[in-house]
Amino acid sequence: MATTEEIRAQLAELVNEVAGVPVEDVQLDKSFVDDLDVDSLAMVEILVGCEEKFGVNIPDEESKNLKTVGDAVAYIEAHS
Amino acid sequence: MSLKASIGSPFARILAVGSATPSRVIDNDYLCQFIDSSDEWITQRTGIKERRWVGEGENIETLCVTAATSAIERSGVALDQIDAVIVATISHYEQTPALAPKLAHQLGLGDAAAYDISAACAGFSYGLAQAEAMIRGGQATYVLLVAGETISDITDLTDRGTAFLFGDGAGAVVLGPSETNGIGPVVWGSDGGQYDAIRMNHTIGSGVKAGVFPTIQMDGQAVFKWATGYIAKAARRCLDEAGISPEELDVFIPHQANNRITDTLLRYLKLPEKVVVARTITHLGNNSAATIPMAMDALLTSGEAKSGQTALIIGFGAGLVYAGQVITLP
Ligand SMILES: CC(C)(COP(=O)(O)OP(=O)(O)OC[C@H]1O[C@@H](n2cnc3c(N)ncnc32)[C@H](O)[C@@H]1OP(=O)(O)O)[C@@H](O)C(=O)NCCC(=O)NCCS
């Protein structure tokens, strides 16, 4: 089982790859849209990337609730 | 009794390509009169700066005739040698007859077999798969494949999700028998579970009752998700099935749905820097079925791509449907 920090680090790589955000900025308290400037299309790709990377299923109605990096990490921890 | 079977050529290839772009240039600012948007937003989200729409005297037929005439002339194939005409379109707004027989007649192609197919933005690659099979199966020797669209006629100018996306145009190729292979195995499929991801707002019947002409609507994010996920993998399969490595590829012509989708496909496929990538979306928008042959012609005409090079093409759209193959450029 991956630790919270390991999941955050892997997610940070993904966010960097998709949206060019520096990995060190991708911290648990950061909002994707407001703090990291991730737009709606990049967010779709990040979630698709999470599904692949962590083997989780993120339904559309769930994705709306994943506003911060911490929300996404918690979802992955609970569902992988 | 012995029943004869038709026998075709071992291989087929594209002999020539032609295209037609309509005259009216529609820039983002023009569309922002009708939707709450901005040139900046449209450019950042899609890469589109302008698109062409049909103007006075231009329509699906004139565009298809121009593109087809150019492809036939460039191919050097005599008119009476063309046995079959396939038109890929979703913008011939008559239930019947199909556009292909009329086009064949206008072009002077005699009694060539002629029919339309409806595979939206995958129409060109669907048609290419059929044309290839006809030539290899002996049902035709030379085939004209035309992809033409005037989606502007079914665009709702006030719809923030689609008004800026589509451009009109046509592209055509002539295919024929070949000693060497010019068309790799088609990778194609459909997902009717997402039939409403790109849809019409009315059927013909309900549109007539409501007194409106049906327009196109889209769940943009669902399409984006499918294109950047499932379609990226399908593009990889096109290469694998053709036995071509990313290093051996010269040109990549994905359907021009959104530059951001193209960026993701590139990232996923890990194509080397030297691969020329079609980006006609910036000035032509999304031309639905016509996109791939229009982009092919543009790249060959500008000299960015060269005859004989190896190209990956893949189309995807309403249905949902997709199809792609690796081809040798004409
Ligand atoms: C059409 C597309 C560019 C829309 O982008 P999107 O990010 O999905 O747009 P959304 O509707 O989710 O809206 C995201 C934000 O942009 C805003 N927005 C939507 N349309 C807008 C427009 N035309 N202009 C300005 N802002 C717009 C929304 O209000 C929303 O703002 P908010 O986050 O502040 O609420 C995108 O979905 C797309 O290209 N999808 C693929 C479509 C495609 O390729 N189709 C053809 C297949 S053949």
Side-chain angles (χ1 to χ4, degrees), chain B residues 80-106:
Chain B
D80 61 4
Q81 286 191 293
I82 296 175
D83 308 303
V85 180
I86 304 172
V87 174
T89 186
I90 55 163
S91 29
H92 180 235
Y93 307 106
E94 287 171 41
Q95 202 76 11
T96 198
L99 177 56
K102 193 174 182 190
L103 199 62
H105 175 73
Q106 284 174 2

Side-chain angles (χ1 to χ4, degrees), chain B residues 227-315:
Chain B
T228 53
Y230 194 83
I231 295 305
K233 295 193 184 81
R236 167 77 56 75
R237 278 200 286 138
C238 293
L239 289 173
D240 291 346
E241 299 214 6
I244 295 289
S245 71
E247 287 67 37
E248 290 172 295
L249 199 68
D250 302 306
V251 181
F252 180 38
I253 311 178
H255 173 52
Q256 304 284 290
N258 184 325
N259 249 345
R260 300 270 297 264
I261 294 175
T262 301
D263 292 341
T264 306
L265 295 180
L266 281 174
R267 222 173 38 236
Y268 181 83
L269 292 171
K270 300 190 170 61
L271 300 183
E273 285 277 315
K274 59 141 190 152
V275 173
V276 172
V277 181
R279 296 280 187 180
T280 47
I281 192 166
T282 57
H283 60 286
L284 295 176
N286 171 346
N287 308 104
S288 183
T291 304
I292 290 173
M294 287 173 77
M296 194 189 301
D297 193 18
L299 288 175
L300 287 165
T301 303
S302 71
E304 287 164 271
K306 302 206 166 37
S307 172
Q309 284 187 325
T310 302
L312 168 62
I313 64 175
I314 185 161

Side-chain angles (χ1 to χ4, degrees), chain A residues 40-41, chain B residues 35-38 41 45-46 121 160-161 164-166 198 218 220-221 223-224 255 257-258 261 286 316-317:
Chain A
S40 47
L41 294 181
Chain B
I35 47 172
D36 174 15
S37 190
S38 64
W41 190 90
R45 293 297 165 120
T46 68
C121 305
R160 277 178 109 205
F164 49 86
L165 215 49
F166 297 100
I198 307 170
M218 188 176 70
Q221 294 217 349
V223 178
F224 191 84
H255 173 52
N258 184 325
I261 294 175
N286 171 346
F316 44 91

